[in-house]
Amino acid sequence: IARSTASSFKEVTSAAVEFSRQGLSIQQTLKATNAALLLARISGLDAADSVKALTTAINGFNKEALDYEQIVNRLASVDANFAVSTKDIAEALSRVGSTADEAGVSFNELIATVTAVQQTTSRGGAVIGNALKSIFTRISRDTTISQLRELGVAIDESQTGIERLRAIAQAVERVDRTTANTI
């Protein structure tokens, strides 16, 4: 693994120890370690942060049955096609992964959201991840949903986090159009 990922033996053993602590088999540990060190190489993250990002993605989105290689491939693909780095996406995932999953946001939707926000705001992955975590947490509260309904937002408990964000955006658009028409 060290040779194929251009990593030091120390980095490989450190990542492998972290994955083995999670109860992975030897084969799973080797695959996860290889993926983490590939992620470190393409993203500029250190090995520990790569392990953290992959662990968050695997544990946070376990319903999607993603494997480590799929996660790294998706992150690298987005990096290659959009103005966002793998490092920023990985940092955002580390902060918002499980909260996004609880809000019904899929792995791909989360990557797309982070990418769109990063391209628009030029903020880093850590800032975006923390912001999305706050947003998904707050728009999941019953009191917030009630308050948004009172303001005319078509929102309910059955919607996913992305659907709720879309409903809020549509309500803001309506207000903008109404305001523009009255000026």
Side-chain angles (χ1 to χ4, degrees):
I1 292 174
R3 195 175 315 122
S4 70
T5 61
S7 304
S8 71
F9 184 73
K10 183 177 180 178
E11 289 174 313
V12 173
T13 56
S14 175
V17 165
E18 287 303 314
F19 285 119
S20 66
R21 285 183 182 160
Q22 297 172 23
L24 300 181
S25 70
I26 291 173
Q27 285 295 73
Q28 291 170 322
T29 296
L30 292 175
K31 285 182 180 181
T33 300
N34 190 61
L37 293 172
L38 284 174
L39 179 60
R41 186 172 180 193
I42 63 174
S43 70
L45 291 169
D46 63 22
D49 288 337
S50 293
V51 169
K52 180 180 175 185
L54 287 176
T55 299
T56 300
I58 287 288
N59 292 340
F61 296 95
N62 59 3
K63 293 181 279 194
E64 295 185 43
L66 298 170
D67 67 32
Y68 295 99
E69 289 177 4
Q70 289 173 319
I71 293 167
V72 172
N73 289 339
R74 290 180 190 185
L75 297 180
S77 177
V78 171
D79 182 316
N81 290 295
F82 298 95
V84 63
S85 71
T86 303
K87 181 178 181 179
D88 282 326
I89 299 170
E91 287 176 344
L93 281 173
S94 293
R95 287 169 169 75
V96 70
S98 61
T99 305
D101 183 60
E102 289 171 14
V105 178
S106 73
F107 184 75
N108 288 343
E109 287 173 327
L110 182 58
I111 292 173
T113 302
V114 170
T115 300
V117 171
Q118 207 284 327
Q119 286 190 150
T120 304
T121 66
S122 298
R123 298 287 184 181
V127 172
I128 294 168
N130 287 334
L132 289 174
K133 182 176 182 177
S134 294
I135 290 167
F136 291 138
T137 299
R138 290 178 182 161
I139 64 173
S140 295
R141 294 179 186 156
D142 292 336
T143 55
T144 303
I145 292 171
S146 297
Q147 290 170 343
L148 287 169
R149 274 196 206 127
E150 289 173 16
L151 293 171
V153 178
I155 192 170
D156 64 52
E157 294 84 3
S158 68
Q159 293 171 314
T160 67
I162 296 296
E163 292 168 336
R164 291 176 186 173
L165 288 176
R166 194 172 294 124
I168 293 167
Q170 289 168 346
V172 169
E173 272 184 29
R174 283 192 302 276
V175 169
D176 282 348
R177 281 194 302 262
T178 304
T179 305
N181 290 337
T182 59
I183 295 180

